Amino acid sequence: MEVIILPSPDEASRLGARIIANLIKTNAGATLGLATGRTPLRLYRELILLHEKEGLDFSRVTTFNLDEYVGFNQDHPASYHFFMVKHLFSHINISSERTHLPDGTAEDIPASCLRYEELILEAGGIDLQVLGVGTDGHIGFNEPASSLGSRTRIKTLTRQTLQDNEADFKDLNQAPRHAITMGIGTILDSRKCLLLAFGENKAEAVARTVEGPVTSLVPGSALQFHPDTVFLLDEAAASNLAYADYYREVYQGKPDWQRP
Ligand code: GLP
């Protein structure tokens, strides 16, 4: 695991965007796994800037999002589909045929989850998966006690997650109780993972994810089994890490040829 601690979310997001841009430049047909939430907003803004200013070309890129609320159609303003169009897809040259999210309105949810997994395989697997982390340590919507081998499926959201995401909904009582999410096993199959976390309210989840024991109670801790995960943190999110100084030293000593 590579833990990179930078002074601000802006700097961490710029680095994340450079890592993604380098991937797309070397593999124009790359498959990206994408995340929603407040955390990746700056990352998406940086990617849009790279597209506008440097011509970063998304025309052959394929994307798969981690998750979607059950019961929301694509045009629902709180749906993750709506979020992605608003914050990224409508600003870059990506074809809507190449962007995928789980279908929150599918009649047969298990069948549509299976199909989602098949589509990822047909696209050749995910080259790079963007992740955030919930305050309870979830990745995607894999809430505590998710199987570490899980695949795309329906999950019940915890109270804490609903409260954390309260701003997405006009009224918490109207919030969906379920979501479809890639499983931990699906995420671990990605060739590279890029987890971003910012702010003090993520510090405990980050410490448990990076340094705690691997346990389904902290689903992100399964990333300790992934051979190529980069954690991009700001100082506040890194504040509970026991080995923070060591991670800084490693990053400072990194040779130029290894830097994105
Ligand atoms: C949400 C999403 C996750 C996201 C996490 C953190 O519920 N399902 O993919 O990473 O929780 O959200 P935020 O970035 O808004 O803190």
Side-chain angles (χ1 to χ4, degrees), residues 14 42 73 82 254 258:
R14 270 200 293 278
R42 291 180 186 84
N73 65 33
F82 192 91
K254 203 168 163 161
Q258 273 190 340

Side-chain angles (χ1 to χ4, degrees), residues 2 16 67 103 113 136 143 160 189 221-222 236 244 252 258:
E2 183 174 20
D67 43 20
D103 181 358
C113 292
D136 61 2
E143 298 285 31
Q160 188 176 336
D189 282 349
S221 66
Q252 276 156 16
Q258 273 190 340

Side-chain angles (χ1 to χ4, degrees), residues 44 76 157 162:
Y44 296 155
H76 192 294
L157 304 173
L162 288 171

